[in-house]
């Protein structure tokens, strides 16, 4: 859609003609570094080897995140509403697949919601001590934040760790290098 909009106005960003193209790889990169930071904060190490991460939602960002996590040795559990997408991810990453509605319940080190958020029903059922994902508006209400605190769950705010795509759109120039973008997106972890 944004490619079509860019044909009509110079104010559209996030296309090959206006920057680096699809911003989702940069969003996934930022979430990846956010997860590493959350692990370091909670467990004292950002190492993903052997850490179980549930990725719920396998769109462009969730799939990119799963690929990065897998490459670092994370034990992946994947979920999505599209069965074919789940099968493909399970095969590609050697992941265990679960129903999207049950993903938040899986015992893991990190729950990475990349599609649906959390609410008063799902927060008490969380199986992970860390929530760090790309889904927008992950908490339905302000009270949900207090619910996470009460359960001792470390929450990496979606609006902070999923900013990589916006950073790429803001900084990229057509035909330019993504070096500065990658540097800034990688810094999301320390932020």
């Amino acid at each position: 859609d944004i490619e079509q909009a860019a044909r009509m106005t110079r104010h559209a960003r996030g296309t090959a003609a206006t920057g680096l193209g699809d911003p989702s790889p940069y969003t996934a990169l930022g979430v990846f570094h956010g997860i590493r930071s959350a692990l370091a904060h909670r467990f004292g190490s950002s190492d993903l080897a052997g850490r179980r991460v549930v990725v719920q939602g396998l769109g462009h960002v969730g799939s990119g995140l799963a690929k990065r996590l897998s490459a670092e040795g994370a034990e992946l559990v994947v979920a999505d509403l599209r069965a074919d997408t789940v099968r493909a991810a399970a095969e590609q990453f050697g992941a265990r697949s679960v129903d999207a509605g049950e993903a938040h319940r899986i015992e893991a080190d990190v729950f990475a919601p990349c599609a649906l958020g959390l609410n008063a029903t799902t927060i008490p059922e969380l199986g992970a001590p860390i929530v760090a994902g790309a889904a927008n508006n992950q908490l339905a209400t302000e009270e949900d934040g207090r619910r996470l605190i009460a359960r001792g769950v470390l929450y990496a705010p979606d609006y902070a760790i999923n900013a990589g795509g916006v950073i790429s759109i803001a900084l990229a120039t057509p035909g330019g290098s993504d070096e500065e973008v990658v540097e800034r997106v990688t810094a999301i972890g320390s932020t």
Side-chain angles (χ1 to χ4, degrees):
D1 290 344
I2 198 69
E3 295 288 346
Q4 292 299 319
R7 292 181 181 169
M8 305 305 280
T9 177
R10 63 183 175 84
H11 302 288
R13 301 282 306 199
T15 69
T18 62
L20 297 170
D22 180 8
S24 64
Y26 300 100
T27 304
L29 177 64
V31 173
F32 172 78
H33 285 287
I35 288 172
R36 289 183 56 133
S37 260
L39 286 169
H41 183 77
R42 176 55 65 121
F43 299 117
S45 170
S46 63
D47 189 9
L48 282 152
R51 292 284 182 193
R52 182 178 296 157
V53 181
V54 178
V55 178
Q56 179 259 353
L58 295 167
H60 290 290
V61 176
S63 294
L65 175 61
K67 183 176 182 177
R68 288 183 177 281
L69 294 168
S70 176
E72 293 295 317
E75 176 190 334
L76 288 181
V77 178
V78 295
D80 194 281
L81 295 175
R82 299 164 298 166
D84 58 330
T85 301
V86 173
R87 274 191 303 277
E91 288 176 23
Q92 182 178 0
F93 307 123
R96 179 175 135 213
S97 62
V98 297
D99 181 80
E102 301 295 316
H104 66 281
R105 292 183 176 141
I106 302 301
E107 187 176 321
D109 297 299
V110 179
F111 175 60
C114 295
L116 302 172
L118 298 166
N119 57 47
T121 301
T122 57
I123 290 171
E125 300 173 339
L126 276 172
I130 296 171
V131 172
N136 292 315
N137 304 316
Q138 287 178 23
L139 305 181
T141 68
E142 284 187 37
E143 182 60 29
D144 290 333
R146 291 187 278 281
R147 286 183 181 98
L148 289 174
I149 291 169
R151 291 218 42 227
V153 174
L154 174 62
Y155 174 56
D158 55 287
Y159 55 83
I161 69 170
N162 76 5
V166 173
I167 291 169
S168 77
I169 290 169
L171 296 179
T173 56
S177 165
D178 75 344
E179 207 170 290
E180 180 185 9
V181 173
V182 169
E183 183 179 314
R184 297 264 186 110
V185 172
T186 300
I188 285 174
S190 59
T191 300

